[in-house]
Amino acid sequence: MSPGGFAGNTIYVDLSTGVIEKRPLDLGLAEKFQGGLGLCIRLAHEAISPGRGALSPENPIVLGTGPLVGTHLPATSRLYAVTKLPTSGTVGWCGSGGVNFACMLKNAGFDHVVIRGRAERPVYLEIFNDDMKIRDAGHLWGKGVEETDAILWEKYGRPTGILAIGQAGENLVPFSMAFVEGLATLGRGGFGAVMGSKNLKAVVARGERGIRVADKKRYKEVSRAFLKSMREYPYLKEWQDLGLVKSFPLVPVEQYKAMKKRRVACVSCPVGCKDVVEIPDGEYRGLVKGTSSVINLYTPVIYGFKDYRESIRFMALLDDYGLDMFEFFGIMGFTAELTRRGIIPAQDVDPEIRVDSLASMSAWAEKISLRRGLGDLLAGGFPGILEALGPEAEPFAPSLVKGMHPYAGPGSSLPWDLFGTMELGQVLDPRGPHVGAGGSPTYFAKRPLEVFPKHLRRMGVPEGALGRILQKGEAEDEEGILRVGRLLRYSHRWFAILGSLGVCARAAINRFYSVSACAEMAEAVTGFPTDPETLELRADRSWTLLRIMNLRDGFSRNKQETLPDRWFREDGFKDYATGDPLRPETVEKMIEDYYGEWGWDLETGAPTPETIARLSLEEESKK
Amino acid sequence: MSKSKYDVQVNPDLCTGCLRCGLACSELYTGAFNPLLARIHVKVSGATCEILFTEECNACGVCADNCFFEALTKTRKEAQA
């Protein structure tokens, strides 16, 4: 039986020389790392030279999709990228709903794209039917994401997949992102700037090849049963209608219904979490905005915008420039404070920074994206601002982890205070504060610990680890203890399993998946012998290799996995299970729990020789 | 579409552009998944959506079977009589 699922090729492009090389996918590596995120990590390990800066031509971008992408298994559309990110300086994963891009890349004949070098002039990559061309992007440079997409769709038609940056990425703002068809974001931490540093405005993909599965009969059985279970889920309709609005009271349901124009799904997704809305009235009546979720459009409301319509108008602008909203608002608040303190002269701050004002925020989004006036300093992100202004500014900076503003937690954009796996993951994820990989039952606040085992087994937590994660209280009536660090180790593995196959990790989707279902699907589609243990081993290998790459590049626990003081103040984080105030030593212990459960050294976080041998990473760990 | 037992009804307002219809159709008739090879073509563009069928379409209804959003539904022709 020949391997299925994979498109079968990787394409390498050097933008400095213009050389394009197509190589057959290394099936040995594909089996060892599963594909998708795992294989992106392995290809990046080979392509990244330690010590090179994130914005240097030598820093490669490795894009990739998983073997299930392009099939009709539910929500198998993920797009991943691995590169060194400018804000954290670490090698990080970037992930996005693939919308059409991931499926079209596969159908163009490629599982992975490796981009090196720097083009002399702005370019975009056209990846069509087994071929890639480097195209001039002079007419796109300086344009926002929306206009760029519109011009490219005019030329290529829909459903061509487009990955593009706005002006912020072009101008190397380290909190710029790339956008997949204007609907999904790739790369908090500065992926947009990495593309910009290569003079790479966009990548377009479209192809007429098809994706074949290795074992059709088994595929049919597995997919039929799985899809049936989704159809029968009693809350499916509610998820389809409301998405995240269902559990996010910031967006009034009636208001949402009045502006909702369409729910949008990535290819193959039966839930569809993306939104297209139209402002129904007022000054911005008729403005149509697509977004990865309508709740993102209300972020400015968290910061004090009074009118949701102005909030949507502003998010349309911010997305068009390609800026990360969490980092942008964090920097605005910090700059306002520095101005009040006289550290930044008030005459340089024009207009006055008011985080609740559309006019003020719009002006500053433009100044930062185009690096005008004081915007040039602020476009350096927190690390750039602190470096320029020195220790005087430091006491007024918000919580920072790996140079970025955590977006979940006290004092952050999403101000919840229970410390679960997503919150700890902001410290332990190699890319820095991002909650995407740290999902677990702690997604839902105050969920009783009795319901955890069902979900943990689904994620592939071994029976032997359940007792280590959910410790019973000493007395009969004493609260159990949730060992968040140990649980996070398995959350990261579960994320790596889904990511390596190409399955969406959002809660609305991953709740339907289990490690055994993933193994069955992987085997039916690829033909590689795959049971849950094999799948888990491949994911352990991939996530550990990401760790090894960062160690190779000078990463250390003390330098980068440090905790913000703000988290431990009176109004700081609370223990997930007991609600008691969280203490730094408790979190330090969680970090050791995390390392220990992975088989990494408790002091340094480096994988032990036994772990490297178990994962067959001897060769990779020497390079 | 006349030889089919089914009529396929289309409601573009409910379409999310997931292309599950095209994936299933292409697999059934070409043996490989790719919405561009399907007999149904869906183009979602912001708030608008266009759903078209190629001349080869025989209204087998596999597209509707795979739609989770009721943008495509099928009814037996006898039932309509």
Side-chain angles (χ1 to χ4, degrees):
Chain A
M1 197 176 293
S2 62
F6 295 100
N9 296 291
T10 301
I11 195 152
Y12 290 77
V13 56
D14 186 328
L15 293 173
S16 300
T17 62
V19 172
I20 294 168
E21 188 191 353
K22 182 174 147 181
R23 297 183 199 165
L25 186 72
D26 182 327
L27 290 175
L29 284 186
E31 185 167 5
K32 190 172 173 182
F33 290 88
Q34 191 61 67
L37 172 62
L39 199 48
C40 277
I41 291 170
R42 178 59 178 81
L43 293 174
H45 176 265
E46 193 172 283
I48 288 177
S49 305
R52 305 287 187 180
L55 303 183
S56 71
E58 291 81 10
N59 182 33
I61 292 171
V62 179
L63 288 174
T65 67
L68 305 191
V69 173
T71 70
H72 87 325
L73 289 166
T76 50
S77 270
R78 286 289 285 183
L79 174 69
Y80 281 93
V82 175
T83 189
K84 191 179 283 186
L85 291 164
T87 307
S88 60
T90 53
V91 180
W93 63 271
C94 306
S96 170
V99 198
N100 293 299
F101 184 90
C103 172
M104 284 294 129
L105 180 64
K106 290 272 297 271
N107 280 300
F110 302 102
D111 300 289
H112 294 272
V113 184
V114 181
I115 305 164
R116 308 164 193 265
R118 173 183 293 152
E120 271 183 29
R121 287 181 297 277
V123 297
Y124 73 95
L125 297 175
E126 176 192 288
I127 306 177
F128 284 0
N129 294 332
D130 300 316
D131 195 18
M132 176 197 275
K133 290 195 168 58
I134 302 171
R135 299 284 192 196
D136 178 69
H139 62 304
L140 302 173
W141 206 253
K143 297 197 182 324
V145 172
E146 191 176 339
E147 192 177 355
T148 300
D149 287 350
I151 291 169
L152 291 170
W153 271 319
E154 179 69 25
K155 181 174 168 75
Y156 297 111
R158 290 177 184 260
T160 301
I162 304 175
L163 173 69
I165 58 171
Q167 298 93 332
E170 293 175 7
N171 293 316
L172 314 183
V173 178
F175 47 102
S176 58
M177 303 184 290
F179 280 67
V180 182
E181 291 151 52
L183 284 168
T185 58
L186 189 73
R188 172 171 153 81
F191 184 79
V194 179
M195 279 181 68
S197 74
K198 299 186 174 313
N199 267 328
L200 178 62
K201 179 69 176 174
V203 183
V204 298
R206 184 181 175 98
E208 282 159 13
R209 291 180 43 152
I211 303 303
R212 293 174 189 275
V213 302
D215 185 341
K216 274 194 164 193
K217 183 169 174 286
R218 182 131 178 252
Y219 176 89
K220 200 166 274 185
E221 287 164 8
V222 173
S223 61
R224 189 171 288 163
F226 196 83
L227 287 161
K228 182 169 181 287
S229 75
M230 284 192 82
R231 278 198 191 275
E232 290 170 356
Y233 180 59
Y235 300 107
L236 179 66
K237 185 84 174 73
E238 207 179 345
W239 273 109
Q240 290 175 329
D241 285 346
L242 297 175
L244 294 173
V245 172
K246 186 167 120 62
S247 48
F248 206 77
L250 182 66
V251 184
V253 172
E254 289 310 313
Q255 206 168 74
Y256 171 61
K257 285 181 176 168
M259 64 179 155
K260 177 169 132 179
K261 293 302 286 182
R262 185 174 301 284
R263 301 280 295 167
V264 180
C266 294
V267 170
S268 81
C269 179
V271 176
C273 63
K274 309 203 183 314
D275 283 292
V276 175
V277 298
E278 182 177 332
I279 298 178
D281 48 27
E283 190 179 347
Y284 303 104
R285 179 170 181 247
L287 186 148
V288 175
K289 170 71 183 133
T291 174
S292 65
S293 168
V294 72
I295 64 171
N296 289 349
L297 304 181
Y298 279 64
T299 300
V301 174
I302 298 173
Y303 287 93
F305 273 51
K306 302 287 184 298
D307 185 332
Y308 79 98
R309 296 164 297 191
E310 291 196 350
S311 180
I312 294 171
R313 171 69 192 99
F314 179 64
M315 285 307 301
L317 191 72
L318 206 66
D319 285 355
D320 207 36
Y321 285 129
L323 282 173
D324 171 355
M325 60 187 177
F326 296 117
E327 219 62 7
F328 173 81
F329 276 107
I331 285 167
M332 285 291 95
F334 182 38
T335 309
E337 184 64 19
L338 293 177
T339 311
R340 272 193 291 277
R341 304 259 172 194
I343 297 169
I344 293 177
Q347 67 267 24
D348 292 352
V349 186
D350 181 27
E352 180 193 356
I353 290 177
R354 285 187 48 206
V355 294
D356 60 355
S357 155
L358 172 63
S360 170
M361 290 299 93
S362 300
W364 283 102
E366 180 180 309
K367 278 170 174 274
I368 289 173
S369 300
L370 306 182
R371 288 186 174 269
R372 287 190 181 143
L374 185 67
D376 188 35
L377 170 73
L378 307 186
F382 286 107
I385 298 169
L386 289 169
E387 193 184 334
L389 298 181
E392 204 188 349
E394 209 157 318
F396 309 108
S399 309
L400 295 178
V401 176
K402 294 178 184 167
M404 292 161 72
H405 190 32
Y407 63 83
S412 294
S413 301
L414 305 176
W416 51 66
D417 65 355
L418 286 182
F419 199 75
T421 52
M422 289 192 298
E423 291 70 34
L424 178 62
Q426 296 185 105
V427 176
L428 287 168
D429 191 316
R431 71 183 289 188
H434 194 287
V435 298
S440 76
T442 62
Y443 258 133
F444 303 98
K446 294 185 179 169
R447 179 180 266 187
L449 300 189
E450 304 87 85
V451 305
F452 275 42
K454 182 178 84 173
H455 292 285
L456 301 193
R457 289 189 177 102
R458 182 174 66 78
M459 292 162 59
V461 175
E463 290 300 313
L466 288 178
R468 293 198 296 275
I469 293 168
L470 301 163
Q471 284 189 348
K472 288 201 167 69
E474 284 177 14
E476 189 66 25
D477 57 349
E478 195 179 331
E479 287 273 7
I481 297 165
L482 174 67
R483 303 296 289 261
V484 172
R486 290 178 181 158
L487 176 52
L488 179 61
R489 174 263 191 269
Y490 294 102
S491 298
H492 280 167
R493 179 170 81 185
W494 178 227
F495 180 77
I497 289 171
L498 295 171
S500 298
L501 293 171
V503 179
C504 177
R506 278 194 168 178
I509 289 299
N510 111 40
R511 60 170 301 112
F512 293 105
Y513 277 86
S514 65
V515 69
S516 54
C518 285
E520 279 196 88
M521 290 174 184
E523 190 166 274
V525 170
T526 64
F528 295 148
T530 305
D531 58 19
E533 290 73 27
T534 329
L535 207 53
E536 289 160 7
L537 186 71
R538 291 171 186 153
D540 281 357
R541 185 177 286 139
S542 303
W543 201 259
T544 298
L545 184 57
L546 188 55
R547 186 82 184 177
I548 289 171
M549 287 161 72
N550 278 299
L551 290 163
R552 182 178 73 168
D553 227 313
F555 166 90
S556 69
R557 175 180 176 179
N558 292 339
K559 202 166 111 192
Q560 277 151 315
E561 289 181 344
T562 53
L563 309 170
D565 296 339
R566 172 74 180 78
W567 286 3
F568 306 104
R569 295 201 319 223
E570 200 178 327
D571 56 350
F573 268 124
K574 308 285 186 291
D575 180 276
Y576 183 86
T578 64
D580 294 338
L582 197 68
R583 295 198 309 268
E585 55 272 24
T586 313
V587 183
E588 294 293 355
K589 182 72 179 73
M590 288 178 187
I591 294 175
E592 286 178 14
D593 278 354
Y594 177 83
Y595 289 169
E597 201 67 31
W598 269 110
W600 299 351
D601 183 89
L602 299 189
E603 278 297 307
T604 64
T608 63
E610 295 76 26
T611 300
I612 286 170
R614 180 178 79 84
L615 302 176
S616 308
L617 285 171
E618 293 91 341
E619 191 192 327
E620 287 86 351
S621 66
K622 284 179 198 145
K623 289 180 183 166
Chain B
M1 290 193 188
S2 58
K3 289 180 189 168
S4 172
K5 290 183 288 188
Y6 300 105
D7 278 328
V8 176
Q9 288 86 31
V10 173
N11 185 347
D13 288 346
L14 298 177
C15 179
T16 63
C18 76
L19 307 183
R20 293 191 56 80
C21 50
L23 289 167
C25 172
S26 58
E27 202 277 335
L28 181 64
Y29 293 106
T30 73
F33 293 101
N34 182 349
L36 295 184
L37 305 178
R39 298 173 177 190
I40 178 169
H41 289 184
V42 176
K43 289 178 186 177
V44 170
S45 173
T48 65
C49 171
E50 190 181 22
I51 299 176
L52 301 168
F53 297 90
T54 67
E55 282 182 6
E56 292 80 30
C57 174
N58 58 12
C60 72
V62 70
C63 52
D65 292 341
N66 279 277
C67 181
F68 270 69
F69 299 97
E70 296 171 23
L72 297 165
T73 47
K74 70 178 189 185
T75 46
R76 286 190 83 91
K77 281 185 173 166
E78 292 86 339
Q80 286 184 319

